[in-house]
Amino acid sequence: MSVLATNNPIPPAVRATAALLLHGLLVAALSAAPAPTRAGTRAPIDVDVEHDGGRFVVEARADLDVDARTAWDTLVDYERMPQFVPGLHRTRVLSRTGSAQRQLTVEYIGESRLLFMTVPTRLWLDVQHVPFTDVIAQSAPTPAGQGEPTVKGLRARYTLAVVGTSGRATPRVRLTYSAQFELTEALPPVLGALFGTAAMRKSVREQFGAMVGEIERRARARPSIGAGVAEGR
């Protein structure tokens, strides 16, 4: 049961800390089998997180022996994201506009577990698709009556690049995720200094690892269609 259903308000520091633990909402934005664990991924994952003046700067990267189309289809599979992104309960595409409907507004709803409590989280993003190379996202205005989002000032990007082939001539694709953002409710200085960067790094590794694991699972489940593709969404 959500702690919001009780009579005790959630302290701002608790909500801010929980926001760190659900950074997967960001990773998912820029994404009906159970999600693979990070230990089940084949590709090594590199993660770097910096915390500068209340703003987080995140970089993550993995080289995958998969075709670009499989990776792209996973990144933009908003309807199925809750099935493989931990902590994400609902994902909705609220609108599609622009050329070939490649400009989207996407809603992410989920929750974080923090000690013995469950803390809801919310995020709305304007997303642009550049098939089959980039998913670019930034914070969108919050719909009326929905409360504040978990983070503010978000700018994030997923990038796909073909970097070669593996030993079996399978395309090798580099998946990169970068983001900058602030928590809507900042961490207290001592808590942020002690746990903020470490908690964010752990969360990014888990959520990015879940995305990588799902891409690899889908690649194993179907024959490679090559690195080049003709059309996208």
Side-chain angles (χ1 to χ4, degrees), residues 49-58 180-182 192 197:
V49 176
E50 296 182 2
H51 189 204
D52 182 14
R55 190 163 187 82
F56 286 94
V57 179
V58 174
Q180 298 185 26
F181 61 92
E182 296 179 45
T197 302

Side-chain angles (χ1 to χ4, degrees), residues 35-36 38 41 84-86 205-215:
R38 180 166 56 90
T41 64
F84 60 87
V85 176
R205 184 171 292 277
E206 290 176 351
Q207 305 297 340
F208 188 74
M211 180 67 75
V212 169
E214 178 66 8
I215 293 172

